[in-house]
């Protein structure tokens, strides 16, 4: 039971709750209670979630509704893309509210940044950004229910405690359900969130307990949840054919012939623009069914205008990178000491070049969006990771002037949010569940396509891409090239490192997700360290893919660390432990993260997971069969410390069999939902291994060669290794899990291949022909 003194709440309750409170409480029809969380200094927003009778609510990050029957409804504010956030965030509220999970119902919130603040899925930010605010929302509601019971019983709040959706009067044993107290509780002034008392973790009954996903029963029974399931009265279906060469315009098309085909209602050219992340030129076909539209598309004959990107290719990029590597770098990323001089005096210098390809996201649910455009209102149903970015892009396309948005990482407003100009159409975005995202749905090109088509035809339209659209019109993980030099002293210790990174640019700026930060390990540790870059102009759209940047940089840096260790006759794990040195905080880079100062790198936390994974994997103990090897890698990204050891067998024909991966994880003091946590880190590991084994997007003549899973395969179940996860709990704030397990999985695999075969993998995907006996 909980028995929390409540006098602080009563003493600190604001006199004018509507103006100063950190929480807004409202009555619900039928006698229930609705509680809305607000951040300090947040602004008054527009109408409340519950309807026009509830006006001027503060900026809301979460809602709690308590019905008279005691059922608690919690709004899930962030998009659910398979990462389990629709379950995990409400668990935080429910825990501090002190209700039984069986009495909780979860609803997906619509996009409303004025009410909910940041609503996005990306960067593994949900836990660090929401762990404290969501718990405080539940704790504040619990305190108000205690106060309502004390008022009802005319007793001291100190005599009251909560358990499983009830308040109990401890001296007499009397009890009242939350539902019976909700109407009274919503008349009380809410407490200041900063002063609410949180549970001792030893008392948790929901946080830390394995909890199935709230949507699981609907998913396994095939119920409509996803964007592709949306239906609207009178809805038509659309396909959109874009040029194979990115951004090319339509010269001509057989539109009259297409318009006469069965079921086709409209066929027209979309002029589009030049922004590769927005509405591009193409041909829209709208029909009574998606199959009719798709069949008509197969008869479409388009002549595309010439475009400069047609002269770009993967082979050309590789040749340009090789040439640039022999020239002075264009920019300096990091410079410590004098790396060239240290390399010149080193006992041994190791040189190696590494490369990785463009990658597509290929979530199981292809891009889709349903849109309805009526006078004064644009309504959108979308499986999106970043709904407000979609709203802004739609507004930009239609010439609608919206108040500026701070974006997902912007600071909360310090005053009332700016109001749209009179007559500005409302853009409403309903967030559907996504069938995977991996960063692809952070872009909103598919949303603006659907809205533009719906505006032209004047009816609700569902746009659905096919798999070829998805593969050939992605926002690709950028390719990259690294030219390394490492210097070792006579004992095999690393004394200098130089990386000339050849990447891509667009309009003179780094292409999306194609840059590299200054803190890549062993930066900040090594006395003589030089990271430089040069760039190649790119006409291919790029963007974040699961663990953006890190998913490629971990491969090259951790592979080269392994290469240096072997060149110096050192054990790879001991080599990196010596580099890490004694536990300490390394200087943080300048600037701020979305939730405060940039995090410092703690060498002690990394040492902890490295030592744990060495122990659990039996590193260095016992002989392995022929052509079987173990490889190690560690990496810090998205605030998480991960170390992994992979065990592989390589057949004589070069086929690689990942057998097992041991993983040690430090993401702080609390694993919120162990079921979801295991799913995320195991899935990320297998995702990375699948990409290393199979995946590459090839550009030829400015267009993507691959079309479907036949030439862009995913990892199969029989290829996936066993993954053994070990959690290292440390007294640090909890952080996210969707991405940081992926980066070290790839170099752990390729380093294991070297241990098994003596052959170094320096480019991806793995070429089995190079591993043959």
């Amino acid at each position: 039971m909980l028995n929390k003194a409540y006098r602080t709440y009563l003493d600190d309750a604001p006199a004018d709750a509507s103006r100063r409170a950190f929480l807004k409480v409202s009555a619900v029809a039928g006698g229930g209670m609705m509680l809305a969380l607000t951040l300090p200094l947040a602004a008054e927003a527009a109408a409340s979630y519950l309807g026009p009778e509830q006006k001027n609510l503060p900026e809301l990050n979460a809602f709690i509704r308590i019905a008279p029957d005691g059922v608690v409804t919690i709004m899930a504010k962030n998009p659910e893309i398979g990462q389990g956030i629709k379950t995990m965030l409400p668990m935080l509220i429910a825990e501090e509210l002190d209700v039984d999970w069986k009495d909780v119902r979860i609803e997906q919130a619509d996009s409303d940044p004025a009410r909910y603040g940041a609503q996005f899925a990306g960067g593994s930010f949900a836990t660090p950004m929401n762990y404290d605010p969501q718990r405080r929302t539940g704790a504040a509601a619990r305190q108000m229910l205690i106060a309502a019971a004390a008022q009802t019983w005319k007793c001291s709040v100190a005599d009251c405690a909560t358990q499983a959706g009830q308040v109990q009067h401890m001296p007499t044993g009397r009890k009242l359900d939350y539902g019976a107290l909700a109407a009274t509780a919503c008349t009380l002034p809410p407490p200041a969130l900063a002063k609410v008392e949180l549970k001792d973790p030893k008392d948790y009954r929901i946080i830390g307990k394995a909890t199935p996903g709230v949507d699981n029963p609907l998913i396994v029974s095939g119920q409509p949840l996803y964007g592709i399931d949306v239906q609207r009265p009178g809805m038509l279906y659309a396909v959109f054919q874009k040029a194979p060469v990115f951004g090319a315009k339509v010269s001509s098309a057989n539109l009259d012939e297409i318009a006469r085909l069965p079921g086709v209602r409209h066929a027209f050219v979309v002029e589009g623009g030049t922004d590769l992340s927005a509405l591009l030129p193409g041909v829209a076909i709208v029909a009574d069914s998606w199959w009719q539209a798709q069949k008509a598309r197969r008869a479409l004959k388009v002549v595309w205008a010439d475009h400069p990107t047609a002269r770009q290719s993967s082979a050309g990029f590789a040749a340009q990178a090789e040439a640039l590597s022999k020239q002075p770098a264009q920019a300096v990323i990091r410079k410590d000491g004098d790396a060239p001089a240290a390399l010149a005096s080193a006992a041994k210098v190791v040189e190696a070049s590494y490369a990785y390809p463009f990658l597509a996201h290929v979530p199981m649910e292809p891009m889709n969006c349903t849109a309805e455009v009526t006078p004064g209102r644009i309504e959108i149903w979308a499986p999106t990771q970043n709904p407000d970015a979609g709203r802004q892009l739609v507004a930009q396309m239609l010439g609608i002037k919206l108040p500026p948005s701070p974006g997902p990482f912007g600071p909360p407003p310090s005053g009332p949010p700016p109001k749209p100009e009179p007559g500005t159409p409302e853009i409403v975005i309903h967030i559907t569940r996504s069938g995977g995202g991996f960063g692809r749905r952070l872009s909103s090109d598919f949303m603006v396509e659907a809205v533009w088509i719906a505006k032209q035809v004047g009816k609700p339209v569902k746009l659905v891409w096919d798999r070829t659209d998805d593969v050939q019109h992605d926002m690709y993980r950028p390719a990259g090239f690294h030219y390394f030099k490492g210097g070792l002293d006579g004992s095999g210790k690393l004394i200098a490192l130089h990386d000339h990174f050849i990447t891509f640019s667009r309009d003179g700026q780094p292409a999306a997700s194609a840059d590299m930060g200054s803190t890549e390990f062993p930066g900040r540790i090594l006395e003589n360290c030089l990271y430089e870059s040069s760039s190649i102009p790119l006409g291919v759209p790029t963007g974040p893919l699961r663990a953006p940047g890190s998913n490629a940089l971990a491969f090259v840096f951790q592979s080269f660390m392994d290469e240096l260790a072997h060149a110096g006759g050192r054990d790879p794990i001991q080599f990196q432990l010596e580099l890490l040195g004694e536990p300490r905080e390394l200087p943080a880079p300048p600037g701020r993260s979305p939730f405060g100062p940039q995090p410092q790198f703690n060498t002690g936390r990394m040492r902890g997971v490295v030592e744990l994974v060495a122990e659990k994997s039996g590193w260095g103990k016992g002989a392995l069969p022929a052509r079987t090897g173990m490889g190690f890698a560690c990496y810090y990204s998205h605030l998480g410390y991960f170390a992994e050891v992979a065990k592989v067998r390589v057949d004589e024909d070069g086929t690689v069999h990942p057998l097992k991966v041991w993983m040690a994880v430090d993401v702080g003091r609390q694993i919120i939902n162990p079921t979801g946590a295991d799913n995320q880190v195991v899935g990320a590991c297998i995702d990375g291994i699948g990409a290393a084994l199979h995946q590459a997007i090839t550009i030829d003549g400015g267009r993507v060669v691959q079309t479907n899973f036949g030439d862009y395969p995913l990892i199969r179940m029989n290829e996936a290794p066993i993954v053994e996860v070990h959690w290292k709990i440390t007294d640090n704030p909890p952080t996210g899990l969707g991405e940081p397990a992926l980066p070290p999985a790839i170099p752990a695999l390729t380093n294991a291949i070297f241990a098994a075969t003596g052959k170094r993998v320096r480019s991806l995907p793995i070429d089995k022909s190079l591993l043959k006996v």
Side-chain angles (χ1 to χ4, degrees):
M1 287 200 176
L2 281 172
N3 189 357
K4 303 294 186 184
Y6 202 45
R7 299 192 186 281
T8 300
Y9 157 67
L10 294 175
D11 291 342
D12 293 329
D16 182 355
S18 66
R19 180 171 59 88
R20 295 178 57 238
F22 291 111
L23 291 164
K24 180 73 177 182
V25 190
S26 306
V28 177
M33 170 188 181
M34 188 276 289
L35 179 72
L37 164 68
T38 179
L39 292 173
L41 304 179
E44 294 292 302
S48 96
Y49 168 78
L50 292 176
E53 73 280 4
Q54 304 287 342
K55 299 290 186 180
N56 299 320
L57 285 175
E59 180 187 0
L60 308 176
N61 280 8
F63 284 108
I64 299 170
R65 297 204 307 274
I66 301 176
D69 63 0
V71 171
V72 176
T73 300
I74 299 175
M75 300 302 293
K77 76 186 189 75
N78 282 4
E80 173 60 68
I81 61 171
Q83 83 282 41
I85 210 68
K86 190 176 178 182
T87 303
M88 187 273 279
L89 289 183
M91 286 173 66
L92 300 174
I93 295 176
E95 179 65 74
E96 292 291 348
L97 183 58
D98 205 23
V99 292
D100 276 341
W101 186 246
K102 65 179 177 58
D103 295 326
V104 173
R105 306 292 180 266
I106 310 299
E107 292 183 10
Q108 177 65 60
D110 286 343
S111 169
D112 192 339
R115 180 173 293 124
Y116 294 102
Q119 291 175 274
F120 71 102
S124 298
F125 286 128
T127 296
M129 292 180 73
N130 292 286
Y131 184 70
D132 192 65
Q134 297 274 289
R135 288 185 302 141
R136 290 185 180 279
T137 303
R142 184 185 74 236
Q143 290 191 1
M144 296 174 71
L145 291 160
I146 290 174
Q151 179 175 299
T152 301
W153 290 324
K154 296 180 173 55
C155 70
S156 168
V157 294
D159 291 333
C160 300
T162 63
Q163 185 178 44
Q166 293 183 324
V167 180
Q168 181 175 347
H169 184 236
M170 302 304 291
T172 65
R174 287 178 294 178
K175 295 180 182 179
L176 281 173
D177 292 339
Y178 283 179
L181 293 166
T184 300
C186 74
T187 67
L188 301 176
L193 287 178
K195 295 188 177 182
V196 295
E197 195 167 355
L198 299 174
K199 282 186 177 183
D200 188 315
K202 68 180 177 56
D203 297 323
Y204 286 166
R205 296 185 301 111
I206 296 173
I207 293 175
K209 305 301 185 291
T211 304
V214 295
D215 285 341
N216 287 4
L218 300 176
I219 294 171
V220 299
S221 58
Q223 301 302 305
L225 280 173
Y226 298 91
I228 207 167
D229 297 324
V230 170
Q231 297 289 326
R232 297 294 296 161
M235 185 177 77
L236 299 175
Y237 296 81
V239 296
F240 187 50
Q241 180 66 53
K242 294 188 286 290
V245 177
F246 303 102
K249 287 184 170 291
V250 177
S251 289
S252 65
N254 59 335
L255 298 181
D256 291 341
E257 178 185 342
I258 297 301
R260 293 192 294 268
L261 294 175
V264 174
R265 299 288 193 93
H266 306 273
F268 53 89
V269 171
V270 175
E271 291 298 327
T274 59
D275 183 348
L276 297 181
S277 64
L279 182 67
L280 290 175
V283 176
I285 301 173
V286 184
D288 292 328
S289 74
W290 188 82
W291 289 109
Q292 289 172 323
Q294 183 74 347
K295 187 174 181 181
R297 183 187 193 180
R298 292 170 183 160
L300 182 66
K301 298 174 183 176
V302 184
V303 176
W304 302 100
D306 188 30
H307 193 278
T309 300
R311 293 180 279 281
Q312 297 184 357
S313 68
S314 293
F317 295 146
Q320 290 178 74
E322 186 66 22
L324 284 169
S325 74
K326 296 176 171 58
Q327 301 171 16
Q330 298 167 1
V332 174
I333 299 171
R334 181 180 196 95
K335 184 178 181 182
D336 295 321
D338 190 341
L343 285 166
S345 64
K348 190 171 193 177
V349 175
V350 181
E351 297 190 43
S353 59
Y354 283 81
Y356 42 85
F358 294 96
L359 291 180
H361 296 78
V362 290
M364 285 293 100
E365 180 189 20
M367 300 303 105
N368 66 88
C369 180
T370 300
E372 187 170 352
V373 181
T374 56
R377 184 179 175 91
I378 296 128
E379 198 163 5
I380 300 167
W381 293 260
T384 170
Q385 291 181 242
N386 198 2
D388 192 50
R391 176 184 287 107
Q392 298 294 326
L393 196 62
V394 166
Q396 179 183 339
M397 175 185 68
L398 298 178
I400 298 171
K401 189 175 181 181
L402 292 182
S405 169
F409 302 143
S414 58
K419 295 181 179 180
E421 295 179 1
T424 300
E426 182 183 17
I427 302 176
V428 178
I429 299 180
H430 305 286
I431 305 170
T432 70
R433 188 180 176 102
S434 295
F438 314 111
R440 176 60 179 92
R441 301 182 199 273
L442 289 168
S443 298
S444 305
D445 49 329
F446 56 98
M447 294 173 66
V448 292
E449 290 173 2
V451 171
W452 184 262
I453 295 168
K455 182 176 184 292
Q456 302 309 305
V457 306
K459 288 183 176 292
V461 169
K462 180 195 286 187
L463 169 73
V464 181
W465 291 19
D466 66 12
R467 184 60 62 192
T468 300
D469 293 328
D470 229 30
V471 172
Q472 296 195 331
H473 291 282
D474 203 340
M475 304 292 167
Y476 302 97
R477 193 285 300 275
F481 308 85
H482 293 256
Y483 295 83
F484 284 112
K485 291 181 182 178
L488 304 171
D489 68 11
S491 68
K493 179 182 177 182
L494 182 64
I495 59 170
L497 179 67
H498 178 213
D499 175 29
H500 188 175
F501 173 35
I502 313 296
T503 185
F504 293 93
S505 62
R506 181 169 175 81
D507 299 327
Q509 298 297 319
S513 296
D515 54 354
M516 181 177 90
S518 64
T519 60
E520 286 299 315
F521 183 81
R524 295 188 283 182
I525 287 179
L526 195 60
E527 183 177 349
N528 300 293
C529 183
L530 178 61
Y531 298 160
E532 300 179 294
S533 68
S534 299
S535 63
I536 300 168
L538 181 68
V540 176
T542 61
L545 183 143
R546 192 176 196 173
S550 303
N551 56 45
L553 297 172
F555 161 61
V556 298
F557 275 89
Q558 284 291 297
S559 293
F560 193 56
M561 287 297 104
D562 192 78
E563 194 161 353
L564 289 166
H566 283 282
R570 310 294 291 276
D571 174 83
I573 287 183
Q574 288 304 315
F575 183 80
Q576 296 214 44
L577 285 173
E578 289 176 17
L579 273 172
L580 287 166
E582 293 302 312
R584 64 200 187 282
E585 297 278 354
L586 297 182
R592 294 177 65 82
S593 75
F595 35 88
Q598 286 281 11
Q600 293 181 319
F601 177 77
N602 187 300
T603 62
R605 294 181 70 183
M606 185 59 83
R607 287 187 68 93
V609 293
V610 171
E611 290 167 349
L612 180 60
V613 83
E615 173 195 343
K616 297 299 183 181
S617 66
W619 180 265
K621 298 177 180 177
L624 295 172
R627 295 183 68 81
T628 300
M630 294 172 70
F632 161 78
C634 61
Y635 202 76
Y636 171 72
S637 70
H638 300 85
L639 307 181
Y641 296 80
F642 281 71
E644 301 178 25
V645 169
K647 182 179 180 180
V648 303
R649 185 185 77 248
V650 182
D651 292 344
E652 291 189 354
D653 68 355
T655 300
V656 176
H657 299 277
L659 302 176
K660 187 170 183 176
V661 175
W662 292 263
M663 181 187 301
V665 182
D666 179 357
V667 287
R669 66 176 64 97
Q670 183 65 62
I671 305 301
I672 299 167
N673 182 3
T675 296
D678 284 338
N679 289 344
Q680 286 302 293
V681 298
V682 172
C685 175
I686 293 173
D687 197 3
I689 288 173
L693 289 174
H694 300 305
Q695 294 172 4
I697 287 293
T698 307
I699 307 299
D700 187 23
R703 63 189 69 193
V704 170
V705 172
Q706 288 73 23
T707 61
N708 209 315
F709 292 131
D711 49 10
Y712 193 82
L714 302 182
I715 191 170
R716 298 299 184 98
M717 290 177 67
N718 65 337
E719 297 176 294
I722 297 168
V723 182
E724 183 178 302
V725 182
H726 298 275
W727 303 98
K728 186 171 182 61
I729 304 302
T730 61
D731 191 20
N732 293 284
T735 55
L737 285 167
E739 294 166 280
L742 188 153
I746 299 171
L749 174 73
T750 56
N751 292 340
I753 290 171
F754 174 78
T757 66
K759 297 178 180 179
R760 183 66 65 180
V761 175
R762 295 195 182 97
S763 65
L764 296 176
I766 296 163
D767 184 349
K768 61 181 281 186
S769 69
L770 301 178
L771 305 178
K772 291 181 179 179
V773 173

